[in-house]
């Protein structure tokens, strides 16, 4: 039964479990729980909601108070959603090494993101969050120690698993750990209500903190007192910080981990890709890693075993990372061959020239309007544009970067729609300039040209000179090649004069 939700927060949790068969031994059942179905695409939506609502209940978070947390990204994105929906300002500290997608998503959701040096690792971003919370009186979410994390997993994730598999219906449950909120919260419920389920903890094979047996020192408040000596940089963003979190320590102490499974980075990448290509399941690197561990279990498990792997997030969060390193933007040889197998719409064959359009006479009224626009001494720079055309936007970005004030005449804008005034001006413009294309740029009544001519004029300093003669400044120092303001797919073949080899 579906029902309308009061707000987005009602859609957190209840993620689907899906069977996977490719590469899986036939006599076992392997399932994945897709946490990417949470509204912000990761398992951490659960924790974000759990921490904020627990703090609201016990009064540690006051209405309108700023929330702060250190995060590898997914917690920050989840918190950004919860804070947006509930009206709390959010500040996130994050090591610069986590994917750019994460930063941008948080900022898009209204959060502020304070980057910390990668060399300071996870402990650095956590210490920064603590420092900022103390200085400004902000609510620190403390995901690595906060019991609200495991609690929400006990009350949601674990219950969902029991509902899907029944009590004692699951033989293995496989998960990695970041905070270990998932692991602590789920493992204790399964141990109590599905005691036959074996708990498998996966971790990076080159940063195997749990397997090392080396004890993690803690401060009195449960935070880690030092980096763990076995930590090495690894691929699985969101897994294994440079310390064993208190929550992970708790699971080990409780004896809830039956086996630790080390996973090589290459296996994580391969499994994420295989899940995408063979199953249509798009997931991130830690998901690929968890699946690699689950496959390892599947190969050793007795016939008839049922295995569930947690897949924490979506693959879209990794476009800038090694997961997508081999995925090209341009067409590869095979794709080019397909493109060349039919005659039209190709890059390697020029389209047949269209017959030139018969010139259409512009109205006297539109011609007068163009004249008036380009000869206004108050606004000597005039850009005749279409609102959302990429060339027009490139010129706008260039003018903004150089501090050039201009008047934009958006011919397809609502202001020019009545009686097709925009179309009439466009005809007049074509007659005045001799070119039918948009944008067209004028400075002090002089026609500079379209986007390309304008970039050339900036690159060789002519535009700056024209402006100076009119008593207007333009600061083009440091903006580089004007063509760089074009999106990559619009870059013309002609290099700018200063870049010509
Ligand atoms: N994978 C990813 C991508 C994550 O962001 C996280 C959380 N940092 C985890 C796995 C681990 O989840 P948990 O913190 O509950 O251990």
């Amino acid at each position: 039964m579906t029902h309308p939700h009061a707000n987005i927060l009602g859609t957190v949790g209840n993620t689907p479990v899906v069977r996977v068969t490719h590469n899986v031994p036939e006599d076992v059942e392997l399932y994945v729980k897709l946490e990417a179905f949470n509204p912000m695409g990761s398992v951490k939506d659960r924790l974000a909601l759990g921490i904020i609502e627990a703090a609201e209940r016990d009064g540690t978070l006051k209405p309108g108070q700023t929330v702060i947390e250190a995060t590898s990204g997914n917690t920050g994105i989840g918190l950004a959603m919860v804070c947006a929906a509930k009206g709390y300002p959010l500040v996130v500290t994050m090591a610069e090494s986590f994917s750019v997608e994460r930063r941008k998503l948080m900022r898009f959701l209204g959060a502020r993101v304070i980057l910390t040096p990668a060399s300071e690792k996870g402990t650095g971003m956590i210490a920064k969050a603590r420092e900022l919370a103390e200085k400004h009186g902000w609510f620190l979410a403390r995901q690595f120690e906060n019991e609200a994390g495991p609690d929400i997993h006990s009350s949601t994730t674990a219950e969902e698993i029991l509902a899907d598999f029944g009590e004692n219906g699951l033989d293995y449950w496989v998960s990695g750990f970041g905070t270990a909120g998932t692991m602590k919260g789920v493992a204790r419920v399964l141990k109590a209500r599905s005691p036959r389920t074996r708990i498998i903890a996966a971790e990076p094979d080159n940063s195997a903190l749990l397997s090392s047996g080396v004890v993690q020192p803690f401060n009195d408040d449960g935070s880690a007192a030092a980096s763990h000596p076995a930590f090495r940089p690894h691929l699985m963003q969101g897994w294994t910080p440079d310390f064993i979190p208190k929550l992970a320590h708790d699971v080990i102490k409780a004896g809830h981990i039956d086996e630790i499974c080390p996973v090589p980075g290459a296996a994580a990448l391969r499994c994420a890709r295989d899940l995408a290509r063979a199953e249509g399941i798009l997931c991130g690197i830690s998901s690929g890693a968890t699946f690699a561990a689950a496959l390892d279990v599947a190969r050793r498990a007795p016939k008839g075993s049922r295995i569930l792997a947690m897949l924490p997030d979506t693959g879209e969060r990794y476009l800038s990372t090694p997961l997508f390193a081999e995925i090209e933007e341009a067409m590869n040889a095979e794709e080019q061959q397909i493109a060349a197998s039919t005659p039209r719409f190709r890059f390697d064959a020029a389209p047949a020239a269209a017959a030139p359009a018969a010139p259409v006479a512009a109205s006297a009224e539109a011609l007068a309007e163009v004249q008036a626009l380009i000869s206004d001494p108050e606004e000597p720079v005039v850009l005749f544009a279409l609102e959302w055309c990429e060339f027009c936007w490139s010129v706008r970005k260039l003018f903004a970067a150089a501090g050039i004030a201009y008047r934009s005449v958006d011919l397809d804008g609502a202001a020019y729609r009545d009686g097709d005034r925009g179309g009439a001006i466009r005809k007049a413009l074509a007659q005045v300039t001799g070119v039918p294309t948009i944008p067209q740029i004028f400075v002090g009544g002089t026609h500079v040209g379209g986007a390309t001519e304008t970039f050339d004029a900036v690159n060789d300093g002519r535009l700056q000179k024209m402006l100076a003669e009119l008593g207007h400044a333009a600061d083009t120092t440091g903006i580089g090649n004007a063509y760089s303001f074009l999106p990559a797919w619009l870059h013309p073949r002609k290099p700018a004069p200063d870049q010509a080899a």
Side-chain angles (χ1 to χ4, degrees):
M1 275 267 289
T2 57
H3 56 89
H5 294 280
N7 60 43
I8 190 68
L9 304 178
T11 69
V12 174
N14 281 316
T15 54
V17 165
V18 173
R19 185 161 178 189
V20 169
T21 51
H22 177 82
N23 252 343
V24 179
E26 269 174 28
D27 47 10
V28 300
E29 292 174 29
L30 179 44
Y31 297 89
V32 290
K33 188 160 171 67
L34 299 175
E35 291 300 304
F37 275 69
N38 282 298
M40 293 299 115
S42 97
V43 66
K44 306 306 293 222
D45 292 356
R46 297 179 189 261
L47 164 129
L49 185 60
I51 285 184
I52 295 301
E53 294 202 330
E56 284 176 336
R57 278 195 302 273
D58 68 19
T60 46
L61 175 60
K62 309 281 181 297
Q65 189 182 3
T66 294
V67 173
I68 180 162
E69 182 57 330
T71 151
S72 65
N74 281 332
T75 297
I77 295 165
L79 279 172
M81 163 191 64
V82 176
C83 288
K86 285 178 174 279
Y88 298 102
L90 174 68
V91 177
V92 157
T93 62
M94 187 171 87
E96 60 184 334
S97 42
F98 296 111
S99 77
V100 171
E101 290 89 319
R102 290 161 146 80
R103 279 183 218 173
K104 290 207 170 186
L105 284 170
M106 283 185 263
R107 290 184 174 137
F108 193 81
L109 286 156
R112 280 153 292 165
V113 181
I114 311 303
L115 297 176
T116 55
S119 56
E120 303 290 336
K121 297 175 271 190
T123 45
M125 69 189 192
I126 292 167
K128 184 71 182 176
R130 207 169 284 274
E131 208 173 88
L132 286 167
E134 275 166 25
K135 161 100 191 201
H136 301 289
W138 292 339
F139 170 77
L140 181 62
R142 295 170 49 249
Q143 59 166 332
F144 289 98
E145 302 102 56
N146 198 327
E147 288 297 332
D151 286 351
I152 194 85
H153 281 292
S154 291
S155 64
T156 67
T157 322
E159 292 297 337
E160 292 163 28
I161 292 169
L162 288 171
D164 277 340
F165 290 94
E167 308 207 343
N168 267 331
L170 187 64
D171 298 287
Y172 299 89
W173 179 74
V174 187
S175 172
F177 72 95
T179 62
T182 309
M183 194 166 300
K184 179 171 177 178
V186 173
R188 66 187 171 196
V189 173
L190 292 183
K191 283 293 168 198
R193 293 179 34 207
S194 183
R196 103 156 194 244
T197 307
R198 290 174 64 77
I199 309 294
I200 315 294
E203 63 178 353
D205 71 342
N206 71 325
S207 193
L209 272 50
L210 300 189
S211 316
S212 77
V214 178
V215 176
Q216 170 71 47
F218 292 104
N219 297 314
D220 290 344
D221 65 358
S223 61
S227 256
H228 193 280
F231 177 78
R232 298 289 177 275
H234 61 79
L235 261 186
M236 292 74 145
Q237 297 192 20
W239 266 20
T240 311
D242 64 314
F243 55 90
I244 297 176
K246 153 131 192 340
L247 300 176
H249 180 78
D250 295 343
V251 201
I252 300 166
K253 230 175 44 190
H256 287 168
I257 296 179
D258 295 298
E259 189 184 323
I260 301 170
C261 184
V263 181
L269 297 180
R270 189 175 58 244
C271 282
R273 198 192 51 208
D274 287 352
L275 281 169
R277 297 202 179 162
E279 305 280 347
I281 293 173
L282 183 63
C283 64
I285 304 174
S286 71
S287 300
T290 315
F291 190 73
L295 268 184
D296 186 53
V297 170
R299 289 184 189 122
R300 298 183 271 117
K303 273 188 193 343
S305 292
R306 298 170 96 195
I307 305 161
L308 174 64
M310 294 297 294
L311 304 196
D313 73 355
T314 168
E316 281 183 43
R317 213 143 281 173
Y318 298 89
L319 297 176
S320 69
T321 74
L323 186 57
F324 279 76
E326 285 168 18
I327 305 301
E328 294 175 52
E329 264 176 50
M331 284 193 279
N332 63 24
E334 186 195 1
E335 290 161 341
Q336 278 172 9
Q337 219 172 23
I338 297 171
S341 67
T342 62
R344 297 195 300 153
F345 311 111
R346 290 159 55 175
F347 294 96
D348 58 344
V360 189
S363 71
E365 195 188 347
L367 281 167
E369 187 160 2
V370 169
Q371 272 314 323
L373 284 165
I374 63 176
S375 51
D376 179 356
E378 294 294 311
E379 287 179 304
V381 183
V382 183
L383 167 69
F384 290 93
L386 299 175
E387 240 172 345
W388 299 105
C389 118
E390 302 263 14
F391 282 103
C392 302
W393 272 95
S394 306
V395 176
R396 286 188 223 285
K397 281 193 276 180
L398 167 66
F399 284 175
I404 298 172
Y406 64 97
R407 173 185 196 133
S408 186
V409 181
D410 296 341
L411 299 172
D412 58 346
Y416 287 91
R417 198 163 298 152
D418 275 357
D420 193 23
R421 223 171 111 227
I425 294 178
R426 197 165 173 176
K427 278 183 210 151
L429 196 62
Q431 193 167 315
V432 170
T433 60
V435 260
T437 56
I438 299 292
Q440 293 300 326
I441 292 91
F442 287 79
V443 173
T446 304
H447 181 217
V448 178
T452 311
E453 290 82 10
T454 304
F455 296 147
D456 289 339
V458 167
N459 279 341
D460 63 22
R462 270 180 298 129
L463 194 103
Q464 295 86 321
K465 226 170 111 199
M466 290 170 85
L467 284 167
E469 279 163 14
L470 295 163
H472 285 258
D475 183 9
T476 49
T477 45
I479 67 166
N481 181 355
Y483 281 93
S484 64
F485 288 89
L486 281 174
W489 62 274
L490 283 176
H491 278 194
R493 288 179 185 85
K494 190 171 101 184
D498 58 341
Q499 300 233 325

